[in-house]
């Protein structure tokens, strides 16, 4: 079955870049029928979608407006994984970060597979 | 931006039926997905496309929609159903295309 395995540091200093990786098994990052998402969750913001990367004859990205100036999500086809890079972090970026697979369901993607989550704290 | 409104909490006795609502402008025009999240775990998709169930999700979980309100119904509630439940829509016309509701805590009495 499809599984997503997250990795990355749990502590990031303010103003630095938060980087997380999500390794895919049982599916391909280059799939034409899936999208690869990052979502975060905090008590103050709840569940917040950050963005996605997906392949439809070429690589495409969508990002949430709230982080658009600071975020990059990119695929690594050689390792069948995708990564999140969030720059200039502040304590407000402290959250549990999840990766997730999106599959089209009706008018928009449902997130049918999730990674295990990574608690990231932004602190000096 | 798009807002999905859920009741903060719902309580129900074992064996009874729980109904969790999700309201918002134009919910009637988009597909609604529902997730279950237990403490310390990642969310799990329980209903997609308003009313379809992923494989492995019990038939006790069902979804429906009327006007701009979607409802997750859990029949014959069990203690193991106690969790937070979130609705989610994808609205490409919004500046935030993926929106989650604030979540509902289901308590089994």
């Amino acid at each position: 079955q499809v599984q997503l395995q997250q990795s990355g540091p749990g502590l990031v200093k303010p103003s630095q870049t938060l980087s997380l990786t999500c390794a895919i098994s049982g599916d391909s990052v280059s799939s034409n029928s899936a999208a690869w998402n990052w979502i975060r969750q905090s008590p103050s913001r709840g569940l917040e979608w950050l963005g996605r990367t997906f392949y439809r004859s070429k690589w495409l990205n969508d990002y949430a407006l709230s982080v658009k100036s600071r975020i990059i999500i990119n695929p690594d086809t050689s390792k069948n994984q995708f990564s999140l890079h969030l720059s200039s972090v502040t304590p407000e970026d402290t959250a549990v970060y999840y990766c997730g697979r999106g599959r089209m369901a009706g008018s928009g993607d449902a997130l049918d597979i999730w990674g295990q989550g990574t608690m990231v704290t932004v602190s000096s | 931006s798009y807002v999905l409104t859920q009741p903060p909490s719902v309580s129900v006795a074992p064996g009874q039926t729980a109904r969790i609502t999700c309201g918002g402008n134009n919910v009637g025009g988009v597909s609604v997905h529902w997730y279950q999240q237990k403490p310390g775990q990642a969310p799990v998709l329980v209903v997609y496309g308003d009313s379809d169930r992923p494989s492995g999700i019990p038939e006790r979980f069902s979804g429906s929609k009327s006007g701009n309100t979607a409802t997750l119904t859990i029949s014959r509630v069990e203690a193991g159903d106690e969790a937070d439940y979130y609705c989610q829509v994808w609205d490409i016309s919004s500046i935030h295309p993926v929106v989650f509701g604030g979540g509902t805590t289901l308590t089994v009495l």
Side-chain angles (χ1 to χ4, degrees), chain A residues 37 39 41 47-49 52 62-66 98 105-112 114-116, chain B residues 29-31 33 35 37 40-45 48-49 86 88 90 92 95-98 100-101:
Chain A
N37 298 260
I39 308 99
Q41 185 175 30
L47 283 165
E48 180 185 15
W49 176 82
R52 64 175 183 169
D62 292 310
Y63 297 129
L65 193 64
S66 58
Y98 294 99
S107 64
D109 283 9
L111 297 161
D112 65 343
W114 293 64
Q116 79 275 23
Chain B
V30 295
S31 297
H33 316 307
Y35 302 87
Q37 186 179 33
Q41 298 182 20
V44 172
L45 181 68
Y48 65 92
Y86 297 89
Q88 177 246 315
W90 178 277
I92 196 64
I95 59 173
H96 295 288
V98 178
F100 289 93

Side-chain angles (χ1 to χ4, degrees), chain A residues 4 26 28 33 53 56 59 61 75 104 108:
Chain A
L4 302 177
S28 170
S33 60
T53 188
R56 301 290 186 269
W59 287 102
N61 291 95
M104 179 58 72

Side-chain angles (χ1 to χ4, degrees), chain A residues 32-82:
Chain A
N32 275 304
S33 60
W36 306 98
N37 298 260
W38 286 97
I39 308 99
R40 67 183 179 184
Q41 185 175 30
S42 65
S44 59
R45 294 173 177 262
L47 283 165
E48 180 185 15
W49 176 82
L50 298 177
R52 64 175 183 169
T53 188
F54 56 107
Y55 186 77
R56 301 290 186 269
S57 303
K58 64 179 180 179
W59 287 102
L60 300 167
N61 291 95
D62 292 310
Y63 297 129
L65 193 64
S66 58
V67 294
K68 195 169 186 176
S69 63
R70 303 192 288 130
I71 190 172
I72 295 173
I73 296 175
N74 51 15
D76 183 340
T77 57
S78 66
K79 295 181 179 178
N80 201 31
Q81 63 187 30
F82 61 107

